[in-house]
Amino acid sequence: MDCMWTDATFILFWLHVYTWLPGHCHLYNNRYDGDKVIRIVPKNDIEAYELKALYSKLQVDLWQPSSLSYIGKDTVTDVRTSNNSSQTLLTYLRNSNIQHTILVNNLQKVIEKQNVSGTQRYRRSLSRYNYEEYHSLDEIERWMHHMNKTYPHLVSMFSIGKSYEGRPLYVLKLGKKASRFRKKAIWIDCGIHAREWIGPVFCQWFVKEALNTYHLDPSMKKILTLLNVYIMPVFNVDGYHYSWTTDRFWRKTRSKYRFNCFGVDANRNWKVKWCEEGASLHPCDNTYCGPYAESEPEVQAASQFLYKQRKHIRAYLSIHSYAQMLLYPYSYQYEAIPNYHCVASAASNAVHALQTAYGVLYQHGPASSTLYLSSGSSIDWAYNNGIPYTFAFELRDTGYYGFLLPESLIKPTCTETMLAVKNIALHILKKCR
Ligand SMILES: *[C@@H]1O[C@H](CO)[C@@H](O)[C@H](O)[C@H]1NC(C)=O
Ligand SMILES: *[C@@H]1O[C@H](CO)[C@@H](O)[C@H](O)[C@H]1NC(C)=O
Ligand SMILES: *[C@@H]1O[C@H](CO)[C@@H](O)[C@H](O)[C@H]1NC(C)=O
Ligand SMILES: *[C@@H]1O[C@H](CO)[C@@H](O)[C@H](O)[C@H]1NC(C)=O
Ligand SMILES: [Zn+2]
């Protein structure tokens, strides 16, 4: 049986008829049956090196971090393997005495228990949009049009280009219109990596909160009065759609170059130290940098827009998951950025603000030394092109659910992240020397 969202359900949706989809079928054609997620803790460089070779031979899917480099005793790698490969991997780990835990024993079961993929669910009309659910690309686009229409004094919407598969790349612009001066701005993008579903949820949450609290909360009023906030809820639209219809753990774009492998890592494709450390030249890898910098139309469109607006945009924020980290440049080298002092203090304040909500702890620091070295990343590109504050958020959690963060955790995750993002927005309105 086909378990995916069908045209018939779209039509029903438009008629505001509440639909109930058949629930007793396997999501994603049961492709994750027996898949395991294993956390592995190498003790040293040599173990990490050997693991890397084995990962590539077994074609495991690196969840977090997305490339393995030994960064000391805190090096942890979460990987997804098929049932078959897991036998080889587990035998190797036991024989080599490498510390490991099985985080998930059968991934298919977890997916089905969480009702991901939007089947098995009541649908609501746009005026009762549920911000505590994951939404398909079509739903998110309909919601964007709705916001554009409903809040004309605070919201506008435009497309900055087209994806590889021809979808529009929509951006919402939030802010009170100012006639006398050119406003400064913040950019927030979500969903560069398709499977990190909490990202697009946060972008939508931000818009909802901004519009709901504008009249009540003086700091939100200040932000929307003095700044424009550009929000791109789904950067990698093709990949995101694919993660709903075909492969829940798809990360890359959907372009096709060589070897019958699809997609480029949209966070390794920017024109900054392109395809050096921490990116792969192999089209089948999850960190493939692409055939050349900005080969991906999504990256090209965003970088052109940001470049044109670079004099006004004071902060670039990119929302990822998972790891609970707030990262800033550089990703490609260990050297400190020139305004390190200002950026590090903004990060530290933002993380403290986040913690006040539920006590959730975030690490913060340069991406290179906090997570791993990577080249061609959006924060490095934005920073090197004149945006003084650039951050990548890695939202909840630290691996218990990983990419399958349940919908029940959307509210706390977005609530605390909101505090951090507002803190950064208020920070850039102040002078820092
Ligand atoms: C996984 O592999 C084991 C050992 O080969 C087998 O006993 C088990 O049935 C498999 N599980 C699934 C869900 O395929
Ligand atoms: C897993 O292993 C079994 C037995 O070795 C084999 O028949 C099966 O095709 C393998 N499945 C996959 C997906 O490789
Ligand atoms: C999944 O959907 C079923 C049927 O609506 C519901 O009973 C169950 O509580 C849902 N599970 C989760 C984790 O939301
Ligand atoms: C947003 O609304 C304005 C005003 O109604 C309209 O001109 C514009 O085309 C809309 N944007 C999109 C992308 O539909
Ligand atoms: Zn990511």
Side-chain angles (χ1 to χ4, degrees), residues 193 196 251 320-321 394:
H193 292 136
E196 301 165 6
R251 167 183 169 92
H320 294 253
S321 73
E394 295 280 355

Short mmCIF file of all heavy atoms in Angstrom, two decimals, residues 193 196 251 320-321 394, ligand 5:
data_model
loop_
_atom_site.label_atom_id
_atom_site.label_comp_id
_atom_site.label_asym_id
_atom_site.label_seq_id
_atom_site.Cartn_x
_atom_site.Cartn_y
_atom_site.Cartn_z
N HIS A 193 20.27 21.11 5.69
CA HIS A 193 20.34 19.64 5.66
C HIS A 193 18.93 19.08 5.84
O HIS A 193 18.26 19.36 6.83
CB HIS A 193 21.27 19.13 6.76
CG HIS A 193 22.70 19.50 6.50
ND1 HIS A 193 23.53 19.99 7.49
CD2 HIS A 193 23.43 19.48 5.36
CE1 HIS A 193 24.72 20.23 6.96
NE2 HIS A 193 24.69 19.94 5.67
N GLU A 196 17.22 17.30 9.08
CA GLU A 196 17.21 18.02 10.36
C GLU A 196 15.90 18.78 10.48
O GLU A 196 15.84 20.00 10.41
CB GLU A 196 18.45 18.93 10.43
CG GLU A 196 19.74 18.12 10.31
CD GLU A 196 21.00 18.96 10.02
OE1 GLU A 196 20.91 20.20 10.01
OE2 GLU A 196 22.06 18.36 9.79
N ARG A 251 20.23 13.95 3.49
CA ARG A 251 20.90 15.15 4.01
C ARG A 251 21.13 16.20 2.92
O ARG A 251 20.98 17.40 3.14
CB ARG A 251 22.24 14.71 4.61
CG ARG A 251 23.23 15.84 4.93
CD ARG A 251 24.53 15.22 5.44
NE ARG A 251 25.62 16.17 5.53
CZ ARG A 251 25.91 16.87 6.62
NH1 ARG A 251 25.17 16.77 7.69
NH2 ARG A 251 26.94 17.70 6.61
N HIS A 320 20.64 24.16 12.43
CA HIS A 320 20.89 22.74 12.16
C HIS A 320 20.50 21.92 13.39
O HIS A 320 20.12 22.45 14.42
CB HIS A 320 22.38 22.51 11.89
CG HIS A 320 22.89 23.14 10.64
ND1 HIS A 320 23.20 22.43 9.52
CD2 HIS A 320 23.15 24.43 10.34
CE1 HIS A 320 23.63 23.24 8.58
NE2 HIS A 320 23.61 24.48 9.05
N SER A 321 20.65 20.60 13.26
CA SER A 321 20.59 19.72 14.42
C SER A 321 21.44 18.49 14.08
O SER A 321 21.70 18.25 12.91
CB SER A 321 19.14 19.31 14.71
OG SER A 321 18.68 18.38 13.76
N GLU A 394 23.23 24.14 16.43
CA GLU A 394 22.90 22.71 16.38
C GLU A 394 21.91 22.50 17.51
O GLU A 394 22.28 22.47 18.68
CB GLU A 394 24.14 21.84 16.60
CG GLU A 394 25.21 21.96 15.52
CD GLU A 394 24.91 21.13 14.27
OE1 GLU A 394 23.92 20.38 14.28
OE2 GLU A 394 25.68 21.24 13.31
ZN ZN B 5 23.16 20.30 9.51
#
